[in-house]
Amino acid sequence: MCDAGLEDPTASNNKSLGSGMFEVTEVSANDHYTFERRDGYSWGPDDTTSDTPGVPKTVIAVMAPNVSTAANQLLSGELSASPIAGPDKDRIDAANFDSVQRPLPAGQMYFNQIADNPTSDPAVRKALVQAVNLDDLAEVITGGQGTRATSLVSVEPRACVYDSVAGNIPDFDLSAAKATLDAAGWTAGSDGKRSKDGKPLTLRLFYAAGEDARSAAAELTQSAWSDLGATVEVTGADQTKVVDVMLSGKDNNQWDIAWIQINNSVPSGFVPFFSGPAPAAGKNFSSINNPAYEAAVAKASGLTGDAACAEWADAESQITKTVSAVPFADTVLSFYFNKAGLAFGKTFIGSALRLYQ
């Protein structure tokens, strides 16, 4: 916050307050955002100013409906830059555009542990992971362009590199998944559908949509969990709806399993999502209560360097081994540029943007 924002925190509701290269001049939610270059800007990296050649006067950030549409617009010149992943990547590569590569999470699975939800039962969470082939799921959700994730922390540069997945989540085994539910009292009826104490095993999978690959992955998972004996409702939503459902705190009982991505390069960034009050008062949208995680966090927070990373690895392992959150796919997201580029770095910060003839 700059001085104006500190003096009146509500002022930024209607006006861009800051000191960056660009200021917000128009907002059309879930469609586009317009930024205009700030006159007199003179404090960017590499002595970048508002008069540096190539710095655009106007930047419009467009919310593209899907990757294929963005690829078409990039090829036609309607877009100057866009991230492209999945099957469309091959035809963009053939155009020989400049690009930068950024590792990003592509698949993170969160389980709602609010009381009375089926996923508050550890056996249900375990069985759901046992019932789906995560190797296949990672292949589908990344369009063949990614790998299995080894940690929730996958954004470079990562502060700590560790594997919180291996040995902490169950292997794919549908028979074992059924046995897990049987032992927990979720019995199958004559139609194969499971229930416990008269309550059917109905699951709501909520995911951030926008790409055909994500829809295909959701369908694959729905089929696998149906084979397990669950009734699975699948809902894909845009980012505005995702934020409203997951973090508004208005009603945290709209989902059981969520596929959303929390992009972070430091493990400490996940602490508010895995501890503390639920969304009505905080960010813990899964309603996780894990004392072992909180103890490991407290220990890690008092350390630095390799010793800290070892404790952060233990902390995250407390989340994966209880199947509260499971990272299952990473991708290398390529940002492509048509007559544009970044003067430095790999991040879309305003002073790095350039237009070329």
Side-chain angles (χ1 to χ4, degrees):
M1 275 291 190
C2 60
D3 287 346
L6 293 174
E7 291 172 3
D8 180 7
T10 65
S12 61
N13 292 347
N14 302 302
K15 179 179 174 58
S16 179
L17 302 177
S19 58
M21 172 70 83
F22 296 91
E23 59 182 340
V24 180
T25 57
E26 181 185 21
V27 173
S28 179
N30 208 38
D31 184 77
H32 71 275
Y33 301 81
T34 303
F35 304 79
E36 297 292 341
R37 187 176 63 207
R38 190 188 305 276
D39 291 335
Y41 178 92
S42 62
W43 47 91
D46 295 343
D47 297 322
T48 301
T49 73
S50 52
D51 297 321
T52 297
V55 173
K57 182 179 186 300
T58 303
V59 175
I60 303 175
V62 179
M63 311 304 286
N66 58 59
V67 176
S68 293
T69 299
N72 293 337
Q73 293 175 331
L74 187 66
L75 288 168
S76 69
E78 187 176 348
L79 290 179
S80 303
S82 179
I84 302 293
D88 293 284
K89 190 173 181 296
D90 290 339
R91 61 191 179 109
I92 298 298
D93 283 334
N96 294 317
F97 290 141
D98 289 338
S99 65
V100 296
Q101 282 69 47
R102 295 173 57 193
L104 284 175
Q108 296 175 346
M109 197 178 308
Y110 297 91
F111 297 87
N112 195 342
Q113 297 180 43
I114 194 171
D116 296 328
N117 276 32
T119 45
S120 66
D121 185 341
V124 171
R125 302 197 300 271
K126 178 181 178 181
L128 293 179
V129 173
Q130 287 177 306
V132 64
N133 189 324
L134 294 181
D135 288 336
D136 290 348
L137 191 57
E139 178 79 8
V140 172
I141 204 169
T142 64
Q145 303 291 327
T147 61
R148 280 288 303 275
T150 58
S151 170
L152 289 163
V153 181
S154 57
V155 178
E156 298 291 350
R158 290 186 286 175
C160 296
V161 178
Y162 51 74
D163 189 339
S164 67
V165 175
N168 288 325
I169 66 170
D171 295 329
F172 167 56
D173 188 332
L174 181 58
S175 296
K178 292 179 177 180
T180 297
L181 290 182
D182 288 338
W186 292 93
T187 58
S190 59
D191 59 355
K193 295 300 181 182
R194 293 180 178 271
S195 62
K196 182 177 182 179
D197 299 330
K199 182 179 180 179
L201 184 56
T202 300
L203 302 170
R204 297 159 299 174
L205 172 59
F206 181 80
Y207 73 99
E211 302 170 16
D212 292 341
R214 298 189 68 79
S215 298
E219 291 175 4
L220 174 65
T221 304
Q222 182 182 36
S223 176
W225 289 345
S226 295
D227 291 343
L228 181 62
T231 298
V232 186
E233 302 169 1
V234 177
T235 302
D238 59 39
Q239 291 296 334
T240 301
K241 182 65 174 178
V242 168
V243 172
D244 184 57
V245 170
M246 306 301 293
L247 295 175
S248 69
K250 294 184 297 185
D251 180 4
N252 196 35
N253 199 19
Q254 302 181 53
W255 61 280
D256 299 299
I257 307 99
W259 291 356
I260 62 170
Q261 273 56 257
I262 299 177
N263 300 336
N264 225 312
S265 59
V266 293
S268 57
F270 286 90
V271 174
F273 298 102
F274 296 153
S275 60
K283 295 181 179 180
N284 186 3
F285 56 83
S286 298
S287 298
I288 294 172
N289 180 15
N290 189 324
Y293 173 75
E294 294 176 18
V297 166
K299 190 173 181 180
S301 299
L303 300 171
T304 60
D306 292 341
C309 284
E311 294 301 328
W312 283 117
D314 178 56
E316 189 174 307
S317 294
Q318 301 302 326
I319 295 297
T320 53
K321 69 174 56 173
T322 55
V323 198
S324 296
V326 175
F328 63 89
D330 284 341
T331 190
V332 176
L333 187 61
S334 296
F335 275 83
Y336 293 89
F337 301 89
N338 186 348
K339 296 182 180 179
L342 298 177
F344 47 82
K346 296 184 178 182
T347 304
F348 270 59
I349 62 171
S351 54
L353 302 179
R354 298 290 187 272
L355 289 174
Y356 306 127
Q357 298 299 320

